[in-house]
Amino acid sequence: MFSSVAAIPDSLANVSSKQRKTIDVLGGLAGFIGLSVVAGVLVAAVVTPALAVSGMAATNTMNVFETLPEYLSIDQLSQKSNIWASTNREDPVGSRVLLASFYQQNRVEVAFDQISGYAKNAAISAEDPRFYEHGGIDLQGTSRAAIGLLAPGMGSGGGGSSITQQYVKNVLVQKCEELSDKTEADVCYQAAITETVNRKLKEMRLAIGVEKNYDKDEILRGYLNIAGYGGTVYGIESAANYYFNTTATNLTLPQAASLVATVNNPVKYQLDRPDSEINGAANGYAANKERRDYILGEMLEYKNISQEEHDAAVASVIEPTITAPSTGCQTAGANAYFCDYVTKILLNNETFGADAETRLTAFRQGGYDVYTSIDLELQEAAVATLAENVPQTYSGWDVGAVVTSVEVSTGRVLTMAQNKEYSQDPSLAWSGTKYTGINYNTDQNYGGSLGFQPGSTYKVFTLAQWLNEGHSLNEHVDSRRKSNWGNFQDSCLGRQNYDYDTPPFNPRNDANEPGANYSALQSTLGSINTGFIGMAKKLDLCGIRKTAEAFGIHRADGDALQQGASSVLGTNEIAPLSMAVAFAGIASNGETHSAVAIDKIIGLDGVELPIPASTVTQSVEPEVVARMIYAMQRVMTGGTATASNRSTFPKVPMIGKTGTTDASKDTWMTGASTQVATVAGVVNVSGKARSQRNTFFSGLQAATARHRMWPDVMSVANAKYGGDDFAETTNAVR
């Protein structure tokens, strides 16, 4: 039985790699003494039989060769990037779970000792039997190819390039594929592959230069890692993964020979077209088998395998096990919308490059390992409760539902889910279906959504400004329903008056509460619209807007926040993630942490790359936020959020606020412990809205789904993360 390590000539068996390197360069034709001079002689000798036909002079050929560049910069190969979740925050690498991969070329570069000896021997036997004996150019093969190129009638013209020359050609092609300008890339590509004498001379010259700077094992490794194996599959490791669901290390002899066969003509020999009449399952992948068996014969001839190994391999059936890589966020399943959000961060944030094109190229070619903040246990609870409580489609209504959670003290996004299946296929993602590529949880630039009106959950910012300006929770305001509210103060836009609007500004209370003199605390517990308009009458509308912005609130479409009196009731379209961040800021003693979804990025060299950091803002003073919390805790225990509080176990201190938009089109439950903030909502995505109070999902009112979803998620959060007492204040209601 022959060893499965790469074959090395007997004369070099006891010579070190460095010594072999010297022998390689000095050996070959006439010892390759004085490479820069002898190279010209070599080329002249190679092309001399065809000079009479081509009209070229040998001396001219030698001069041209001497002036060609010898140095080839070999850059990092394009490799796929991976987005990971982790089950253990303290050990993200050791506990990682793949969400998705992204690439232009599906490649995983591997070391020389991670490649099966069968694969290395198959490549040498089939492509360059004298690989370890020449100095970059195989005289016999190159002569044959040159004769065929210059005088087709005088030689075979096929093949002839050494492994080193093929490697050079692939490197040049790789450089072309990295160009962002398509026209420039096409010109470059044609120059790299067109069969001309000048290109062949350049390739030979560069091959000699590569042999000067790299030893044979490095060149062979580079060749097997850069070669194309059909479609977007590049490199021996990805080819082994894709075609046989194995690794480059564990390739069997027939598998290795089949993969090397594919390199010769990927379109003809690739094994992922079972319906092909020429090379498909019905004929046993006949084209590949013919080439494979030829390679096995060459391996036997050059004594790289035994007769027994050869016969067994030839008799074996080609049985590909196509294992498609997890490319794109659609492969992340229930985590796809979070995955999509991470990709948008990578494309939008200047940390990763000066412009979007640079960032995209870096992401799809750079081989990043991106470790994210998602909590898979909490995410599983979010996905399950959405599936249980809100259908993906509903006749006559484009229904949407979301759950988003963030960590209070860091802004790390822990969950991001919605009631749809992720797809970027335009034929699937149309209004009213169960598919969409739009992320309802995020801003337009980070998922395509224009946001949703948060309704009364937005009132917490008026409450904050009320306390900011020195008012107390026990202070009462005129809260009668009316259409002549008079003037509102606005330090930015000037005094505002809505008495003459058409239709008139005449907000009503959700349950038609008739009270005329609610306190700020009563208005918060009961979510009294007229009470908050009465509070706004005593405040600066611009100040309310600025306080909301201090908590990270902004419109999902990127426009400025509206700050009229009606905005107090939550009429701005806001992303659910933004609301979760704001409530986390309240729960964190007024310290708001902007959302982050990436914990760590490791490059190909194992070095951590810079990532976007959460920005921290003291949104309101601790004394103000303590009074907000006093009121918002009572919303949970004696206000509109009691249904959510009642169903959440284990019990920890929690704050919250409900929200319902006009005609109960959208319904929200937003709240937090000292550890986790969560938004749960059912929304109208587009088209004609339905009253959620008159709509039922499996016999349960749609408007109450939020009070089933929020407790399901926060129960898991409380059990896992716990919760502490909120900061207290003396005389909170004063």
Side-chain angles (χ1 to χ4, degrees), residues 452-464 527 532 541 544-549 553-555 561-574 579 582-583 657-660 668 670:
F452 304 94
Q453 292 185 358
S456 294
T457 59
Y458 195 87
K459 291 173 180 173
V460 296
F461 309 118
T462 297
L463 176 64
S527 197
F532 272 88
L541 292 179
I544 296 172
R545 188 208 79 206
K546 289 180 177 179
T547 295
E549 290 172 339
I553 293 298
H554 53 274
R555 286 182 59 86
L561 282 175
Q562 298 168 6
Q563 60 193 56
S566 62
S567 69
V568 168
L569 306 180
T571 58
N572 279 288
E573 283 78 15
I574 311 293
M579 294 302 295
F583 273 65
K657 186 72 188 72
T658 58
T660 304
W668 302 98
T670 303

Side-chain angles (χ1 to χ4, degrees), residues 158-205:
S161 293
S162 68
I163 281 178
T164 310
Q165 287 174 266
Q166 293 182 53
Y167 180 45
V168 165
K169 180 178 178 180
N170 278 315
V171 169
L172 294 174
V173 169
Q174 177 78 24
K175 290 178 181 292
C176 299
E177 293 180 348
E178 292 175 358
L179 296 173
S180 57
D181 184 271
K182 186 179 185 304
T183 301
E184 187 179 350
D186 288 344
V187 171
C188 176
Y189 180 74
Q190 290 303 318
I193 67 168
T194 302
E195 292 293 335
T196 65
V197 172
N198 283 342
R199 186 192 70 76
K200 206 69 177 177
L201 292 176
K202 177 182 178 182
E203 183 183 278
M204 294 163 65
R205 179 73 163 175

Side-chain angles (χ1 to χ4, degrees), residues 359-587:
R359 297 168 206 143
L360 177 62
T361 300
F363 176 49
R364 296 182 68 183
Q365 297 181 353
Y368 295 160
D369 280 315
V370 182
Y371 295 92
T372 63
S373 60
I374 191 171
D375 182 317
L376 292 178
E377 185 178 358
L378 211 58
Q379 175 78 355
E380 183 180 0
V383 171
T385 195
L386 280 163
E388 182 179 352
N389 289 290
V390 184
Q392 291 182 320
T393 62
Y394 192 92
S395 179
W397 180 25
D398 191 4
V399 60
V402 299
V403 174
T404 297
S405 302
V406 300
E407 189 173 40
V408 165
S409 61
T410 64
R412 296 173 70 247
V413 179
L414 302 177
T415 71
M416 185 173 285
Q418 62 193 59
N419 70 319
K420 302 291 184 180
E421 292 184 29
Y422 180 86
S423 175
Q424 293 292 348
D425 183 347
S427 66
L428 293 176
W430 56 275
S431 178
T433 75
K434 68 177 182 178
Y435 300 98
T436 184
I438 296 175
N439 189 343
Y440 301 154
N441 294 278
T442 59
D443 294 336
Q444 185 176 17
N445 287 341
Y446 287 84
S449 174
L450 296 175
F452 304 94
Q453 292 185 358
S456 294
T457 59
Y458 195 87
K459 291 173 180 173
V460 296
F461 309 118
T462 297
L463 176 64
Q465 186 62 16
W466 177 261
L467 299 168
N468 252 341
E469 293 191 20
H471 298 282
S472 75
L473 291 174
N474 267 347
E475 185 176 336
H476 292 253
V477 298
D478 179 3
S479 50
R480 293 170 297 167
R481 184 180 180 188
K482 51 185 174 288
S483 59
N484 57 337
W485 281 95
N487 295 325
F488 290 80
Q489 301 305 310
D490 188 323
S491 62
C492 297
L493 302 178
R495 188 174 63 186
Q496 305 293 310
N497 187 291
Y498 307 96
D499 291 351
Y500 304 101
D501 284 5
T502 303
F505 179 59
N506 184 19
R508 70 173 185 85
N509 294 317
D510 188 53
N512 291 314
E513 293 91 343
N517 194 33
Y518 286 107
S519 70
L521 182 58
Q522 290 171 325
S523 293
T524 303
L525 268 62
S527 197
I528 306 298
N529 289 339
T530 55
F532 272 88
I533 296 299
M535 292 164 65
K537 275 273 294 178
K538 294 189 173 187
L539 302 174
D540 175 12
L541 292 179
C542 185
I544 296 172
R545 188 208 79 206
K546 289 180 177 179
T547 295
E549 290 172 339
F551 279 102
I553 293 298
H554 53 274
R555 286 182 59 86
D557 60 9
D559 290 347
L561 282 175
Q562 298 168 6
Q563 60 193 56
S566 62
S567 69
V568 168
L569 306 180
T571 58
N572 279 288
E573 283 78 15
I574 311 293
L577 177 59
S578 296
M579 294 302 295
V581 166
F583 273 65
I586 298 169

